[in-house]
Every structure is written in structure tokens, then in C-alpha cells.
Amino acid sequence: GQEVDQQELRESMMKEFNDAMKEVETRVYEHMSVSEADVEAATAYFNSDADFQNVLKTLRRKYSLFTGQGVEDVPDHVTMQLVMDVMSETMTKMTAAMEEVFAQTKQELTVGTEAFAQTLQQRYVERIAVLRQKVQQKYGIDQDLLQAGVIKYQNNPEFQRKMVELTNEQSEAYKKLGLA
């Protein structure tokens, strides 16, 4: 087989992505009966609004994450150690939450039934959403910055070892519950 140049593939995918985004943009303008100039004027008007700036920053960060661009723009305080600490505490607490939710659900429903699985999943998802937010607040980082940090450090061997270690620990705990 012929090997595809990764850079060419990336550039082709980015062109397709940007073309698709431009098409969506055009349709939204048509649907909302506005022009690009109207949007630019509104952007300039709301530029000093803090809420608008936060939304704009989040959108730019998500675009950077999606495209892989701007990873070098991860703030200096988002160090590899910080990302590993947040991931470590989050995964440890997620495992503990699963063990607690499993024990609670096991008291009420029969393990292995559809009702058990659905209730377990629902309770776990609710619990970890709050848990993640608390851990991230503790470390002064949000989900977007955490994801950007993971992308930035994902090729570092020390970071990779830590993520494998955390994943293995979590898998072992889930196996003990009969979930893996």
C-alpha cells in the first residue's frame, strides 16, 4: 500500500473542516437573516463584555483542541505535573464513586439486570460530573484547559506512563466489581 504523508492528510482534513464550517456559517447567516458584516459589528460592539469574552475564549479553545492548533498556547501554569495531578485525583475519585454507587445500587437492585445497569450508569454519571468540577476548581483549571494540557503532554513518556498507570488502577478496581 501507499503511505499517506501525515502532514498532507492533516492539511486536507483541515481544509475540509474549514470548508464545512464556512458552509455552516453561511447557512446560519441566511437562517438568521444577517450578514458577516452584521456579525463582525456585533462582535465589535460586545467586545468589552466579560461574558462575551469568556464565551469567545471557550470557542477559540475548543477550535484549537479540535484542530490541534494552538496547543502551544496552553498557559504556563498548566504544567505537565498539574495535569497529571488533576487526572490522578479525578480518576481516583471516579473509582471511589463507582465503588460507592455500585454498593448503593446493589442494595436496591439485582446485579446483572438491565435496571441495575441503567441505575448504576445514571448515578455514576451524575456523581462524576460534580466530582470532576470540584477537582478542577481545587486546581484552578477548567475542562477545556485540562484537555488542552492532555493534548500538549500526550507524547511525553512520563505523562504516558502516568496515564497508563491510572487507567490500569481503575480497570483493576472495576474488575473487582465485575464491571470489566
Side-chain angles (χ1 to χ4, degrees):
Q2 190 176 11
E3 193 170 313
V4 177
D5 179 341
Q6 290 298 314
Q7 185 62 29
E8 285 179 30
L9 179 61
R10 197 173 299 118
E11 287 172 7
S12 173
M13 289 176 68
M14 279 308 302
K15 182 183 178 331
E16 286 183 35
F17 173 74
N18 286 325
D19 289 348
M21 288 304 295
K22 192 66 180 166
E23 176 66 24
V24 168
E25 212 175 278
T26 301
R27 287 184 183 183
V28 169
Y29 291 161
E30 288 172 5
H31 179 73
M32 301 303 290
S33 300
V34 297
S35 67
E36 189 170 349
D38 294 333
V39 173
E40 288 172 6
T43 301
Y45 179 80
F46 288 105
N47 201 33
S48 61
D49 182 80
D51 289 336
F52 180 79
Q53 282 300 316
N54 285 335
V55 168
L56 202 55
K57 187 191 314 182
T58 299
L59 285 172
R60 285 183 178 140
R61 204 178 296 144
K62 286 185 184 302
Y63 177 82
S64 294
L65 284 172
F66 183 78
T67 62
Q69 298 173 347
V71 173
E72 62 279 353
D73 297 334
V74 174
D76 290 342
H77 79 278
V78 182
T79 63
M80 186 172 75
Q81 188 59 55
L82 174 72
V83 174
M84 289 192 306
D85 290 347
V86 172
M87 293 298 293
S88 181
E89 186 168 334
T90 300
M91 290 182 77
T92 299
K93 288 187 175 194
M94 286 172 67
T95 300
M98 177 55 84
E99 291 167 344
E100 292 167 14
V101 168
F102 187 89
Q104 174 193 8
T105 308
K106 187 176 175 181
Q107 298 295 319
E108 302 164 15
L109 299 165
T110 304
V111 176
T113 62
E114 184 67 26
F116 179 87
Q118 287 177 348
T119 302
L120 180 71
Q121 179 72 16
Q122 180 183 356
R123 289 175 177 172
Y124 178 67
V125 168
E126 290 169 0
R127 179 90 57 98
I128 64 170
V130 172
L131 181 149
R132 279 188 179 135
Q133 186 178 20
K134 285 182 179 179
V135 172
Q136 290 169 8
Q137 283 176 344
K138 174 183 172 182
Y139 287 93
I141 191 170
D142 63 21
Q143 186 64 29
D144 291 334
L145 274 179
L146 180 61
Q147 287 175 335
V150 168
I151 290 169
K152 180 176 182 176
Y153 302 117
Q154 68 185 348
N155 294 321
N156 180 292
E158 180 184 351
F159 185 80
Q160 291 172 343
R161 276 192 299 278
K162 184 65 174 178
M163 293 306 105
V164 167
E165 173 190 316
L166 292 171
T167 302
N168 288 341
E169 288 172 4
Q170 191 174 55
S171 293
E172 285 303 311
Y174 287 7
K175 280 181 190 171
K176 289 179 185 173
L177 295 174
L179 297 173

